[in-house]
């Protein structure tokens, strides 16, 4: 079984590119905290997302944002400009959850949604809804 789940913070803004066939691919790195001998350290893990997940990551993730990544480990190799073989180990994201605080326009959208009020915010009190609002 090849499955990995990570939670970390982006080290820089994601990079969105497209293959020659027009398939979206988004790459970014997350810092995952760990404790070694009582000292805080971080591992820096390369992430690659494809297609719709890539588009969503490029839109909603940014440097410092926390994300939960579920996917699989992939190893690959290529020859660099000097002709040396380079080996890469990365996580192919199958599922990405945007967690942590919201900033910028996302926060404004959230605030606007809250301005309508939550009719279920005070349990045990009557809800004021007209019959016109009921779907039945």
């Amino acid at each position: 079984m090849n499955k990995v789940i990570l939670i970390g913070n982006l080290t820089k803004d994601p990079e969105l590119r497209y293959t020659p066939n027009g398939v979206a691919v988004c790459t970014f790195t997350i810092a995952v905290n760990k404790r070694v001998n009582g000292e805080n350290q971080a591992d820096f893990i390369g992430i690659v997302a494809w297609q719709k997940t890539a588009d969503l990551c490029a839109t909603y993730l940014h440097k410092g944002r926390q994300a939960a990544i579920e996917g699989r480990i992939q190893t690959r190799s290529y020859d660099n400009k000097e002709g040396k073989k380079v080996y890469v180990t990365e996580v192919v994201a199958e599922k990405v959850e945007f967690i942590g605080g919201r900033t910028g326009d996302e926060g404004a959208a959230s605030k606007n949604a809250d301005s309508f009020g939550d009719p279920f915010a005070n349990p045990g009190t009557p809800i004021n809804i007209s019959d016109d609002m009921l779907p039945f």
Side-chain angles (χ1 to χ4, degrees):
M1 178 185 302
N2 182 356
K3 186 152 188 107
V4 63
I5 299 172
L6 300 167
I7 295 177
N9 295 73
L10 271 73
T11 60
K12 63 180 181 176
D13 289 339
E15 296 179 22
L16 179 65
R17 296 184 311 274
Y18 293 90
T19 66
N21 293 334
V23 178
V25 58
C26 182
T27 57
F28 54 95
T29 301
I30 62 171
V32 178
N33 294 327
K34 66 179 180 179
R35 290 191 60 81
V36 176
N37 298 324
E39 184 179 316
N40 288 331
Q41 295 182 2
D43 287 322
F44 299 93
I45 312 291
I47 311 292
V48 61
W50 293 88
Q51 300 176 335
K52 186 65 175 171
T53 303
D55 290 327
L56 292 171
C57 288
T59 301
Y60 294 107
L61 290 178
H62 54 82
K63 180 180 179 178
R65 179 82 190 259
Q66 192 174 43
I69 312 295
E70 183 177 330
R72 60 183 170 81
I73 294 176
Q74 168 181 282
T75 57
R76 60 185 173 87
S77 64
Y78 65 92
D79 294 327
N80 66 11
K81 293 177 182 176
E82 291 83 35
K84 293 181 85 174
K85 188 170 282 273
V86 177
Y87 295 92
V88 178
T89 301
E90 59 200 356
V91 173
V92 177
E94 295 166 355
K95 182 178 176 184
V96 177
E97 291 188 32
F98 312 126
I99 56 179
R102 293 182 170 187
T103 60
D105 295 336
E106 296 173 57
S110 176
K111 189 181 288 185
N112 288 341
D114 291 342
S115 67
F116 292 105
D118 181 0
F120 305 104
N122 300 317
T125 59
I127 300 173
N128 187 9
I129 297 178
S130 69
D131 290 340
D132 298 353
M133 296 176 74
L134 298 175
F136 48 87

